[in-house]
Amino acid sequence: MIETYIIEQLAAVAKYGTLSRVAETLHISQPALTRSMQKLEDELGVKLFERSKNRITLNKLGELAARHAEVVMTAHYEMIRAVQEADRQSRTFSYGSIAPAPMWEVTPILSQLYMGMTVSSDLQENDDVLVRGLDDGTYKIIILTHPLDEEKYFSCEFLHEKLYMLLPKSHRLAGRPSLQLKDLAGENILIHSKIGFWYSLVKEKIPDAKFLEQHELSTLREIVKTADIPSFETNVSIVGDSLPKNKVMIPFDDSEVDVKFYCICKKENRQELTALYSALKMN
Amino acid sequence: MIETYIIEQLAAVAKYGTLSRVAETLHISQPALTRSMQKLEDELGVKLFERSKNRITLNKLGELAARHAEVVMTAHYEMIRAVQEADRQSRTFSYGSIAPAPMWEVTPILSQLYMGMTVSSDLQENDDVLVRGLDDGTYKIIILTHPLDEEKYFSCEFLHEKLYMLLPKSHRLAGRPSLQLKDLAGENILIHSKIGFWYSLVKEKIPDAKFLEQHELSTLREIVKTADIPSFETNVSIVGDSLPKNKVMIPFDDSEVDVKFYCICKKENRQELTALYSALKMN
DNA sequence: GTCGATTACGTATTACGTAACAATT
DNA sequence: AATTGTTACGTAATACGTAATCGAC
């Protein structure tokens, strides 16, 4: 049985070459190292060093021991990392969503429901990634625009989101009572880059449009306010009356951009999530 | 940094369940264990146990930690084992031989030449096993009945061995001046089981013979002395005049059983083995 | 009452730093 | 002179055992 501190010191000796350098980096004295290495040789019953009066170097056996010391220390640190990570995970409620809007509703509820736990939300553009994450335990729940009908899942509708176009009053389409996506063909449109499935949806359905992407939500809102460029809003993206005076908000007729969100969990976890589902029903 | 003794204790707790049982098996007191586990939780900053007043059990995190502790301890013991094994190896001169006779000559020489080192000899029936062993460093030298002509090897002939038949004077072939292997077809023959290549050679070349195998050399010699059954000897297997009075020793004509032995090493090691090769030449 | 875990306390081990020394550069 | 490793010695940290306490079976 070799104590950890000695194994660590051996690894450091192999790495830094001289005892004095190791003493510096480990913040201990040189004599302490001398004794540690002597003790190590003693416990193993083996010579690990070539010693001249003023020089100590690992011999072949010592290098072997040092390589093994590295392995032991790696396992050691991996143990600490894994345990602390598992602990962190156990204190984290992690979920994934196909769009940002549901997260605005779900995250506050979870924070209140699981007080003291970290709520971690993950916005994805792809259904499959989310379902896989739910299966492997990465996510406790996922939010999609459709239920999962397989027996092992439980799905519950909880939110409705509908897309609108925000147009300058001067825009050629600003007078329309409603729009179709294809009407926007060829337009310049301001768009946020982190909007889950919406991103690929509108890019696919509005041909030849030029999307001006913004990564920062606050920046995007600022530009929307000041620039005469079309942009998107939804029934839930408009908080209060933040609608700029010089713009009009026109609904789309297309059914693809009128979606319902479903909160989905594994059936085996439904029990412990009743509080969440009740809270979602309230709204 | 968790000291080794704590990791070991954690692994033991997972294995034995209660602190008191662990205390017994590790020969320490229960309080020591209590403190160790408290210290462990403290260092990791994580709860590893469910504690009732009188009972302590690993929780999920604790079991994870214990599994990792096993891994760490395995790496730990593997380090000690590997280093001590390498040390032992470095103090051992290991060689392989295709037959026992050369070993009787080589081992004493090596013992004298490498005083303080262990001489380990390995009798094999198969050339390939020996060559592989030489290549991978298992053997410093090997002894075959032929040289290895590849550039990387150095081969040197050093011993001649010739097979004889030991027959009771009453045997039908006892009067012959020489024999061929096939003459022994159908005979009962006493044979030692650990004689390297000889074993398969005579079994192949003497059809239908019934070989009476003995594992113990001393037992075999005793039986040879008292029983009227044919057996083998060679020019080097007869030490002094141990030839029983009532037996005759008849040479074989077959060239297969008149062999020369070659002491073979890697060319890169020839330098350090000059003393050995000189000593072999002397005889 | 017995058994298992924890706390309190004194002891023994031991890893540490400082200081002094030796030898090499 | 500066650097590096070793030895000697006193100190501080700490792991240990014993004894006492508390609860549960």
Side-chain angles (χ1 to χ4, degrees), chain B residues 57 85 95 123 150 172 178 191 204 217 241 267:
Chain B
T57 47
E85 169 64 17
Y95 76 96
L123 181 60
E150 267 184 75
R172 64 180 173 91
S178 71
I191 193 174
E204 184 194 345
L217 185 57
D241 46 9
K267 215 157 234 173

Side-chain angles (χ1 to χ4, degrees), chain A residues 136-154:
Chain A
D136 71 15
T138 306
Y139 304 128
K140 283 221 179 55
I141 59 172
I142 59 174
I143 290 150
L144 301 177
T145 54
H146 56 85
L148 289 179
D149 290 328
E150 268 184 75
E151 181 58 30
K152 58 177 173 174
Y153 302 115
F154 172 73

Side-chain angles (χ1 to χ4, degrees), chain B residues 5 9 27-29 31-32 35 39 53-54:
Chain B
Y5 75 95
Q9 289 171 6
H27 306 106
I28 56 175
S29 66
R35 284 188 305 259
K39 180 172 181 177
K53 280 295 167 196
N54 197 24

Side-chain angles (χ1 to χ4, degrees), chain B residues 13-27:
Chain B
V13 168
K15 188 169 178 183
Y16 294 108
T18 74
L19 293 194
S20 38
R21 276 193 57 80
V22 173
E24 276 177 22
T25 59
L26 294 188
H27 306 106

